[in-house]
Amino acid sequence: MDALAAEETKMYFYENRLKTFSGWPFDEDCMCTPENMAKAGFTHTPSENSPDIAMCFFCLKELEGWEPEDDPEKEHKSHSSSCHFINLKKKVEDLTVEEFFKLQKERHKFIINKSCNDTITKFEEAAKLKRADIIKTAMGEE
């Protein structure tokens, strides 16, 4: 397997997701431990202002504002019920090659949709700025 393919699929494995949870604010006596977060498909993607952002590696759903009693699997299912990973009936290691490729195809749909939506958002923001510039020019303001 080449390096690109390995990078593409490494987050399917629990151990790799678990490694991302260094600095996670909840580690014991709660439901959203790093272990439970990783089991539910999440990786830790903190920002400067939000140390508790977690994103599903598969559906790319980001959740923050975790509380100690939040169950990662239930939260994932309630916020992204169409995620094929959280709805898997068996372990990744037990999938057939065909099942894995079908799963990977579904993952790519999430990635493409997110990319398209991000691009549309950037375009709309740029259009708003351009529209404001045009209105300023038309009104003689500069």
Side-chain angles (χ1 to χ4, degrees):
M1 187 182 293
D2 65 33
L4 184 61
E7 190 64 31
E8 168 80 9
T9 59
K10 75 179 193 176
M11 287 305 164
Y12 275 97
F13 300 100
Y14 166 80
E15 296 79 17
N16 293 328
R17 294 191 304 274
L18 184 60
K19 287 177 193 171
T20 68
F21 281 91
S22 80
W24 181 248
F26 306 97
D27 55 5
E28 51 189 53
D29 297 326
C30 62
M31 290 292 293
C32 55
T33 62
E35 293 78 12
N36 288 340
M37 296 295 289
K39 281 179 193 165
F42 290 109
T43 60
H44 186 205
T45 55
S47 70
E48 203 171 291
N49 299 328
S50 299
D52 71 337
I53 297 177
M55 180 179 73
C56 173
F57 84 96
F58 190 91
C59 69
L60 308 178
K61 182 67 174 179
E62 284 187 326
L63 297 176
E64 63 181 311
W66 290 90
E67 300 291 335
E69 65 278 0
D70 289 339
D71 179 331
E73 190 173 325
K74 285 181 182 170
E75 292 296 323
H76 193 166
K77 284 182 179 179
S78 74
H79 290 278
S80 187
S81 59
S82 63
C83 178
H84 295 266
F85 182 81
I86 197 65
N87 293 315
L88 271 179
K89 303 291 184 234
K90 55 176 147 175
K91 293 179 181 179
V92 170
E93 295 85 347
D94 297 333
L95 295 173
T96 65
V97 172
E98 182 180 3
E99 289 169 331
F100 178 77
F101 281 124
K102 284 181 179 176
L103 192 63
Q104 186 67 342
K105 179 182 86 174
E106 295 303 322
R107 180 170 179 254
H108 279 272
K109 287 180 186 178
F110 282 108
I111 292 167
I112 290 166
N113 280 333
K114 182 173 181 3
S115 175
C116 290
N117 289 335
D118 290 350
T119 301
I120 289 168
T121 300
K122 286 179 188 172
F123 178 83
E124 288 171 343
E125 288 169 3
K128 277 184 197 171
L129 293 173
K130 187 53 94 176
R131 188 176 300 117
D133 287 346
I134 291 169
I135 290 171
K136 276 184 189 176
T137 302
M139 309 245 339
E141 302 170 20
E142 297 218 20

